[in-house]
Amino acid sequence: MFRSPYPDVEVPNLSVFDYLFAQLSDDDLERTALIDGPSGARWSYRDLRDQAVAVAGALAARGLRPGDVVGLLCPNTPAFAVVFHGALRAGLTVTTINSLYTPDEIAAQLADSSARLLITVSPLAQGASAAAEKVGLEPGDVVVLDGPGEAADGHPSLRDWLTAGQPAPDVRFDPATHLAVLPYSSGTTGLAKGVMLTHRNLVANVAQSAPTLEMVHDDVVLAVLPFFHIYGMTVLLNLALSQRAALVTMPRFDLEQFLALVEQHRCTYLFIAPPIAVALAKHPLVEGHDLASVHTIFSGAAPLDAALGHAVEARIGCRMKQGYGMTELSPVSHAIPPSVDLPLDSVGYTLPNTECKLLDPATGEEIAVPDDGESAPGELLVRGPQVMAGYLNNPLATSDTLEPDGFLHTGDIATVTSEGVVRIVERLKELIKYHGYQVAPAELEALLLSSPDVADVAVIGVRDEDGEEVPKAYVVVQPGHELDEQGVRDYVAARVAPHKKVRKVEFVEAIPKSSSGKILRKDLRAREAGRL
Ligand code: ATP
Ligand code: MG
């Protein structure tokens, strides 16, 4: 077993709303909490708190009671923050929905989570209404935040709620057990699962991340990663608000707008996923912008290649760091603190209040932490106050993932050094078995990304003519460069052990990725299956 090198932090027994907003000083109230990137409109901490309280009142006036579930289908805007924290203030459980979902996917999540209300914005209202109808919700149960309002089109709007002047409800619940949110996992390995996270889970993860991520009062944080995904929800929305920092919201990633907003608002701390690192390291647009205000860029959600990260550091002139987490961990369990120099191919130290162990996937035996150097790889298990209550409506998946003693199986293979530095090797499920040898797709992807001819890449295991699993690379060629199949094979073969060679290559226009920045290997696999 190993744990954080940091002392434990106190996790107050508070609701998320009270933790973030009960103790705002006069000074804090006037500070900027949120800036809407596209319009430049600003919300102070007072605006945010008061509007959230008004939303809580409006939700209670509709008859919604603690424990009821509401769906939130909304890209990153200040209104997301207002409604999210208003619903939590009313004791409701928020199921955040991916804004790229189709009506069928939205309906599936609404049905699975038994949502009683769906809150959205006008660009997504059509799909939202179709989904709501499918699950038997009335038009009045679809709230269109920026819409014309209930009197005009039957859908309540945020303005209706803010002007209704309903008193905030008097709600009481136990933060340790009351469900705050039901985010769904990214669905990278299969169907997305509803993850039950309590108020305590969310409060704990903010308290645990704060000392490690070193975000401060004066930081201006660009919120481009979606708030609906647990990374954006905890590390952007809740952590930044807990520090009384400012968040600049971006509804979707667009490199030009991303760079322009950093420049315009003098953003200091950027949280990204690896696809944005690829753009920051390689895209010509970056040259035309003054990004000197940025002190740290932090990557999570998928493996960051160290060479790529260092290229970003050099080009932007800032520190690049990495962390690790998953929806089931609220999400953070590991991070490299900005002020500490640790290898960028690691995910740094275990967070405070968190214990880990590594299990040999073949034998289930615990792997020893060495006195010196790096351990053997094993499945990472994590225990701490950020571990989920379980999967919704899925006791089997829950008991497969959570041990009776509180340890959660991450499904990721990792190593740890004698100093407590953790490195994620690969997902257990993604490892390619070539003639009995294990090949990690992430390692080959990192290697290929180091080629100037490669703009992007993904590797999966496919069956060759003899039914043997072999690594196959999907490659996007850097514009203006030339690269053929032999070139790809040779580049890899010159740099790895023979069993790790890429044995199949396909050139593509783009790599399928989720909006939280993960390579959708299942889409590539489906494509392969479609060919058979
Ligand atoms: P699903 O569980 O539905 O298949 P998912 O696991 O991708 O999808 P998330 O909870 O969003 O859904 O992602 C957690 C996973 O992301 C981790 O289990 C791990 O595999 C991966 N991950 C996150 N951060 C890192 C990182 N820094 N390095 C490597 N992998 C990471
Ligand atoms: Mg997962």
Side-chain angles (χ1 to χ4, degrees):
M1 206 136 91
F2 56 98
R3 51 183 304 134
S4 180
Y6 293 99
D8 278 359
V9 292
E10 197 211 327
V11 179
N13 188 37
L14 292 173
S15 69
V16 173
F17 186 90
D18 284 346
Y19 179 63
L20 294 179
F21 302 113
Q23 301 221 13
L24 286 163
S25 68
D26 288 347
D27 226 31
D28 292 339
L29 285 166
E30 302 319 315
R31 290 177 70 85
T32 298
L34 296 151
I35 303 172
D36 179 49
S39 71
R42 282 170 190 265
W43 274 249
S44 66
Y45 275 86
R46 184 193 302 280
D47 297 333
L48 171 58
R49 182 199 60 186
D50 291 354
Q51 291 186 9
V53 168
V55 166
L59 288 165
R62 291 186 61 100
L64 289 160
R65 294 289 171 260
D68 285 343
V69 177
V70 297
L72 181 54
L73 173 74
C74 180
N76 286 10
T77 62
F80 185 112
V82 166
V83 168
F84 180 82
H85 284 299
L88 292 190
R89 167 66 184 75
L92 310 183
T93 300
V94 183
T95 190
T96 49
I97 306 174
N98 188 326
S99 23
L100 299 179
Y101 268 6
T102 62
D104 283 345
E105 290 170 317
I106 299 167
Q109 186 169 332
L110 292 175
D112 190 52
S113 64
S114 312
R116 294 192 46 196
L117 189 77
L118 175 58
I119 305 170
T120 191
V121 288
S122 51
L124 306 179
Q126 215 182 344
S129 294
E133 201 186 321
K134 256 184 178 273
V135 300
L137 292 176
E138 304 292 325
D141 296 330
V142 177
V143 181
V144 181
L145 294 173
D146 58 337
E150 194 151 21
D153 71 353
H155 299 295
S157 71
L158 182 56
R159 193 170 332 109
D160 290 340
W161 282 358
L162 295 182
T163 52
Q166 300 286 351
D170 184 16
V171 292
R172 246 152 255 199
F173 52 79
D174 179 3
T177 52
H178 194 70
L179 294 187
V181 291
L182 281 171
Y184 279 64
S185 62
S186 296
T188 309
T189 52
L191 273 186
K193 298 179 283 287
V195 176
M196 299 193 284
L197 298 179
T198 62
H199 281 259
R200 180 177 170 78
N201 288 147
L202 296 189
V203 168
N205 208 228
V206 169
Q208 294 172 285
S209 304
T212 318
L213 295 182
E214 301 172 359
M215 193 193 289
V216 296
H217 212 50
D218 289 325
D219 275 315
V220 181
V221 180
L222 188 63
V224 62
L225 298 177
F227 293 151
F228 65 71
H229 183 253
I230 191 68
Y231 180 8
M233 190 188 296
T234 291
V235 175
L236 296 170
L237 193 53
N238 292 346
L239 177 60
L241 294 178
S242 78
Q243 302 305 303
R244 316 304 186 213
L247 279 166
V248 180
T249 60
M250 260 190 91
R252 73 196 62 79
F253 179 67
D254 169 83
L255 183 62
E256 176 100 67
Q257 193 190 29
F258 176 92
L259 299 167
L261 287 174
V262 171
E263 194 168 359
Q264 184 188 344
H265 296 288
R266 312 302 298 153
C267 294
T268 59
Y269 204 160
L270 310 182
F271 289 85
I272 63 166
I276 301 183
V278 175
L280 292 176
K282 297 200 168 197
H283 204 287
L285 267 177
V286 175
E287 300 300 348
H289 291 271
D290 172 12
L291 307 177
S293 56
V294 178
H295 60 67
T296 308
I297 304 182
F298 193 92
S299 175
L304 173 76
D305 170 46
L308 178 73
H310 290 307
V312 174
E313 275 182 325
R315 196 162 184 218
I316 313 279
C318 68
R319 302 176 292 208
M320 179 93 218
K321 301 291 167 181
Q322 178 170 209
Y324 163 85
M326 60 197 294
T327 313
E328 293 86 336
L329 292 172
S330 305
V332 194
S333 64
H334 293 82
I336 306 180
S339 63
V340 181
D341 200 17
L342 293 178
L344 198 47
D345 66 353
S346 80
V347 294
Y349 297 127
T350 305
L351 252 52
N353 312 48
T354 306
E355 299 167 300
C356 296
K357 57 185 177 183
L358 298 175
L359 298 186
D360 184 323
T363 64
E365 298 280 316
E366 192 171 336
I367 289 171
V369 181
D371 292 332
D372 196 22
E374 188 172 6
S375 75
E379 188 191 3
L380 177 66
L381 277 79
V382 177
R383 179 163 70 185
Q386 73 272 54
V387 171
M388 67 167 177
Y391 293 114
L392 182 71
N393 304 330
N394 203 337
L396 261 168
T398 303
S399 60
D400 279 352
T401 308
L402 277 177
E403 294 287 340
D405 62 2
F407 271 102
L408 176 122
H409 287 262
T410 64
D412 293 301
I413 301 287
T415 65
V416 62
T417 69
S418 50
E419 313 276 87
V421 176
V422 170
R423 203 163 57 82
I424 305 295
V425 179
E426 188 55 82
R427 282 180 194 253
L428 201 50
K429 285 188 181 170
E430 307 286 10
L431 280 175
I432 301 168
K433 272 245 177 73
Y434 178 74
H435 288 284
Y437 290 101
Q438 294 192 328
V439 183
E443 182 186 341
L444 296 179
E445 287 159 4
L447 175 59
L448 278 163
L449 272 180
S450 70
S451 161
D453 299 326
V454 174
D456 208 355
V457 62
V459 172
I460 62 168
V462 300
R463 300 276 160 195
D464 70 3
E465 295 67 26
D466 307 324
E468 182 73 45
E469 193 176 24
V470 299
K472 168 168 179 176
Y474 287 80
V475 177
V476 182
V477 179
Q478 182 76 5
H481 291 235
E482 282 201 21
L483 185 63
D484 60 11
E485 170 160 356
Q486 199 54 46
V488 174
R489 287 161 164 270
D490 291 349
Y491 189 85
V492 176
R495 292 167 175 82
V496 297
H499 69 274
K500 294 186 190 169
K501 282 185 194 170
V502 162
R503 287 166 203 273
K504 284 181 184 287
V505 179
E506 183 172 335
F507 292 99
V508 289
E509 294 289 316
I511 302 297
K513 296 213 179 122
S514 74
S515 49
S516 52
K518 292 165 195 293
I519 296 177
L520 293 175
R521 284 179 230 275
K522 71 173 188 317
D523 289 7
L524 295 172
R525 274 190 209 108
R527 205 166 137 144
E528 291 294 327
R531 286 210 184 98
L532 294 177

